[in-house]
């Protein structure tokens, strides 16, 4: 779909299905927005966040280049809240809010999923939700070169931002 909001909603359907396969009822955020000026992005809600209830499970960001979009998202297995709070220089209020507003895949009833389980959940989730089929094969020379070009453009965009 064209446009940031529409593409987030479409792509997040695949991410929601992946989290569901991992045992989480994750949905596009319906939690309070919080402050965009907060030290860490996990302290405020964005339109592409996925939450379990009111706790943020995953964030996302997009980079557009012409008609192509690269979406980045997170599948956080576990986190050290104190270490992150220190890295983001959170005050005591932010620290407490952060600890109470995030959830990770380690909260899963079946224990922390393996890397392979996460990858398979993503593959199945996107295939199911978006009606696509994945096939494993080596990238062609042209695909490899295009990927490098896109990575360079994304890096340039990030440096400018």
């Amino acid at each position: 779909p064209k446009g940031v909001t529409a593409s987030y909603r479409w792509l997040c359907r695949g991410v929601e299905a992946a989290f569901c396969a991992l045992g989480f009822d994750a949905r596009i955020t319906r939690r309070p927005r919080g402050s965009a000026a907060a030290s860490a992005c996990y302290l405020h809600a964005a339109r592409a966040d996925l939450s379990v209830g009111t706790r943020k499970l995953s964030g996302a960001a997009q980079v557009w280049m012409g008609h192509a979009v690269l979406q980045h998202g997170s599948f956080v297995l576990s986190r050290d809240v104190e270490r992150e709070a220190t890295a983001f220089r959170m005050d005591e209020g932010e620290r407490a809010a952060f600890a109470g507003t995030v959830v990770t895949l380690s909260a899963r009833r079946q224990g922390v999923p393996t890397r392979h389980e996460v990858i398979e959940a993503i593959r199945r989730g996107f295939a199911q939700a978006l009606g696509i089929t994945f096939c494993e094969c080596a990238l062609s020379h042209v695909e490899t070169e295009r990927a490098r070009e896109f990575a360079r453009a994304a890096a340039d965009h990030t440096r400018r931002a």
Side-chain angles (χ1 to χ4, degrees), residues 63 65 70 149-159:
V63 175
M65 192 168 90
L70 172 66
E149 289 171 16
F150 192 72
R152 281 192 294 271
D156 289 345
H157 176 77
T158 301
R159 279 191 293 276

Side-chain angles (χ1 to χ4, degrees), residues 23-102:
F24 288 88
D25 184 24
R27 298 285 174 238
I28 290 182
T29 293
R30 288 173 178 75
R31 66 192 187 96
R33 292 198 57 83
S35 171
S39 303
C41 64
Y42 268 76
L43 289 173
H44 62 88
R47 63 181 162 212
D49 292 346
L50 290 167
S51 297
V52 175
T54 60
R55 299 185 78 176
K56 187 172 181 174
L57 179 62
S58 175
Q62 288 186 350
V63 175
W64 283 78
M65 192 168 90
H67 295 291
V69 63
L70 172 66
Q71 181 159 325
H72 157 82
S74 58
F75 282 77
V76 181
L77 296 175
S78 64
R79 66 179 352 122
D80 182 335
V81 172
E82 285 303 311
R83 196 172 197 184
E84 285 186 60
T86 300
F88 285 107
R89 298 185 177 126
M90 293 181 198
D91 61 33
E92 288 305 312
E94 288 178 323
R95 221 174 261 260
F98 182 65
T101 195
V102 297

